[in-house]
Amino acid sequence: MLRFVALSTGVTIGVTWLVPPATAEPAPSARDVERSERAVEDRAAEVGRTKAMLAQADGELDRLAVAAESAIERYNGERVRLERAQQAYRDAQARLVQAGRRVAESQAALATFAAQAYQHNTGYDQMSSAVAGHGGPQGFMDRAGMVEVLAKQRAGALRQVEAAENVADVFRKQAKGASKEQGDATRRAEDAKRRAQDAVDTQQASVQRITAEKQKLERRLSKAESHAAQVKRARERALEAAEARSAYEGSGRPAAGLALSRTRGLIVARAALRWLGTPYSWGGGTADGPSFGTGQGAAIFGFDCSGLSMHAWAQAGVRLDHWTGTQWTSGPHVPVSELRPGDLVFFAKDTSNPDTIHHVGIYLAQGRMVEAPYTGARVRISSIHRNDLIGATRPSG
């Protein structure tokens, strides 16, 4: 469909150039062209502002994503510390149980010892036990010494148990405090993660909204550009028709002579216009039309710049090489002020050295050309007025 539209457009332009209409339609004015171009600039500015908003939203999204990841990792760290605190609490509880068991055992042993000591001395005071007790005074002294030794041992054991119980109690309090603190920290981390994720979700929705707005504005820009191009083409056709009518009226004969002098160039221009929208293919294009290219263009069916000019001039019966180097020398060089449709315009890295030519386009009118610009783009109409314009050639053959 695109090729059909391009073909129809090219043929229409060519017919207008060749045969002046009996009654010309009202031509768009220069003011109309200026107004359409201003509309394009306005739409482009809208797209630019939206792109800036989108870039800002993307940056904010990145920042929030980093914050969310940090919150998640903080949450993970708090979980690890909580697990360690809980394990420490369990260990402290186990030590506390063990210490309690030792306390109970020691208390039972002390109770048994006290009962035995009481039984040995029941009904006697120390004096009578020393005089009349078993073994006499010496037996009493032996028993008393043993009791004192055992009492000291039990007292030492009791103090150790009490100390262990105190330590375990400290451990238990510390573990409980750590467990509570880690629980609070985990809840804080989860809250931070949730807030960060909510912010990311909000920002993603904002990005989607701005992207949709950008796409809408880009469609408006595309329509404005298309309208501006149509207005320009209509004005160019009207100017060409006016020129043809002027020549016809001034000579008193049909303008066929003027048209015939330009027939070859018009055929070339129409042939190039026929392929508007065709993909750029590095090395693509033959005298017969688009083709698969080489290298990066091996899978792309289209034209590169010299392939398009070679094909366009082949339709006018002029054979050109698929190379800007020989296309530059394929005919006389033409001043930019004297360009006609079909002339080849060339662009170079060094405008003083033709050996650096890197691009060629097919001239139309009013400073416009058809070109196959670069990989990823399509055959299009664009301005010849660039800093790297080196000159033009009108092929002959």
Side-chain angles (χ1 to χ4, degrees):
M1 182 62 184
L2 182 59
R3 288 181 180 173
F4 177 76
V5 172
L7 174 59
S8 301
T9 302
V11 171
T12 301
I13 292 175
V15 170
T16 303
W17 281 337
L18 283 172
V19 182
T23 57
E25 297 180 359
S29 66
R31 185 176 180 80
D32 292 333
V33 174
E34 181 183 357
R35 189 159 42 244
S36 66
E37 290 179 340
R38 190 160 53 247
V40 171
E41 292 175 358
D42 292 342
R43 299 292 87 78
E46 289 177 344
V47 173
R49 286 193 294 271
T50 306
K51 285 183 177 179
M53 291 173 59
L54 185 59
Q56 182 179 1
D58 281 337
E60 183 69 8
L61 180 61
D62 291 341
R63 187 188 68 79
L64 291 173
V66 170
E69 290 174 351
S70 299
I72 291 171
E73 286 308 307
R74 186 165 62 251
Y75 168 74
N76 290 338
E78 296 294 351
R79 284 180 60 88
V80 170
R81 285 189 286 270
L82 176 61
E83 290 174 0
R84 290 177 179 174
Q86 290 172 337
Q87 183 61 47
Y89 174 74
R90 287 192 293 269
D91 293 343
Q93 288 289 83
R95 288 194 295 270
L96 180 61
V97 170
Q98 185 177 4
R101 186 180 301 114
R102 287 199 298 269
V103 169
E105 291 173 353
S106 298
Q107 288 175 341
L110 288 173
T112 301
F113 168 76
Q116 291 175 348
Y118 177 79
Q119 290 174 358
H120 286 303
N121 296 284
T122 300
Y124 301 94
D125 56 21
Q126 290 186 349
M127 182 58 69
S128 59
S129 295
V131 175
H134 179 71
Q138 184 60 45
F140 172 77
M141 294 298 294
D142 291 341
R143 289 194 299 275
M146 181 61 67
V147 168
E148 183 178 2
V149 169
L150 291 177
K152 288 181 179 180
Q153 290 178 347
R154 293 297 186 271
L158 181 58
R159 284 193 298 272
Q160 290 177 353
V161 170
E162 289 175 347
E165 184 176 11
N166 290 336
V167 170
D169 187 56
V170 170
F171 288 159
R172 182 177 64 252
K173 291 178 180 179
Q174 291 178 345
K176 285 183 178 180
S179 178
K180 182 180 182 302
E181 172 58 25
Q182 294 305 316
D184 294 342
T186 297
R187 285 190 292 276
R188 290 195 300 269
E190 287 177 334
D191 290 341
K193 179 184 70 174
R194 185 166 50 254
R195 286 193 299 270
Q197 191 59 55
D198 289 344
V200 170
D201 292 341
T202 301
Q203 190 63 16
Q204 285 178 335
S206 176
V207 169
Q208 292 173 356
R209 177 182 57 78
I210 296 173
T211 300
E213 179 68 13
K214 172 175 168 285
Q215 292 172 347
K216 182 181 74 174
L217 293 176
E218 285 176 339
R219 288 192 294 270
R220 291 177 59 185
L221 172 60
S222 178
K223 289 180 180 179
E225 288 176 335
S226 177
H227 175 70
Q230 290 174 1
V231 171
K232 285 185 178 180
R233 286 197 296 268
R235 179 162 175 77
E236 290 167 3
R237 289 197 299 269
L239 292 173
E240 290 287 346
E243 180 183 350
R245 283 197 302 275
S246 177
Y248 175 82
E249 294 167 357
S251 63
R253 59 184 176 81
L258 176 63
L260 288 174
S261 68
R262 299 183 177 181
T263 297
R264 178 177 286 179
L266 295 175
I267 291 173
V268 172
R270 287 200 302 270
L273 285 167
R274 179 173 182 263
W275 298 104
L276 288 176
T278 302
Y280 180 96
S281 175
W282 180 28
T286 68
D288 297 326
S291 70
F292 288 104
T294 59
Q296 295 180 353
I300 302 174
F301 192 76
F303 292 102
D304 63 11
C305 65
S306 57
L308 178 62
S309 57
M310 177 182 70
H311 165 73
W313 272 95
Q315 309 317 299
V318 177
R319 182 186 178 281
L320 298 178
D321 294 328
H322 194 157
W323 180 37
T324 54
T326 54
Q327 289 181 5
W328 169 254
T329 60
S330 63
H333 297 308
V334 183
V336 173
S337 60
E338 298 177 13
L339 286 173
R340 295 202 311 234
D343 291 346
L344 298 182
V345 285
F346 293 86
F347 304 87
K349 293 181 179 179
D350 180 357
T351 55
S352 65
N353 183 5
D355 290 339
T356 65
I357 289 175
H358 61 85
H359 187 57
V360 62
I362 298 103
Y363 187 72
L364 294 176
Q366 302 295 313
R368 311 292 285 178
M369 67 177 174
V370 182
E371 64 168 347
Y374 47 80
T375 298
R378 296 175 179 271
V379 176
R380 66 185 184 185
I381 296 175
S382 57
S383 173
I384 69 168
H385 299 298
R386 295 171 16 181
N387 292 334
D388 55 347
L389 175 63
I390 189 173
T393 298
R394 187 169 296 153
S396 59

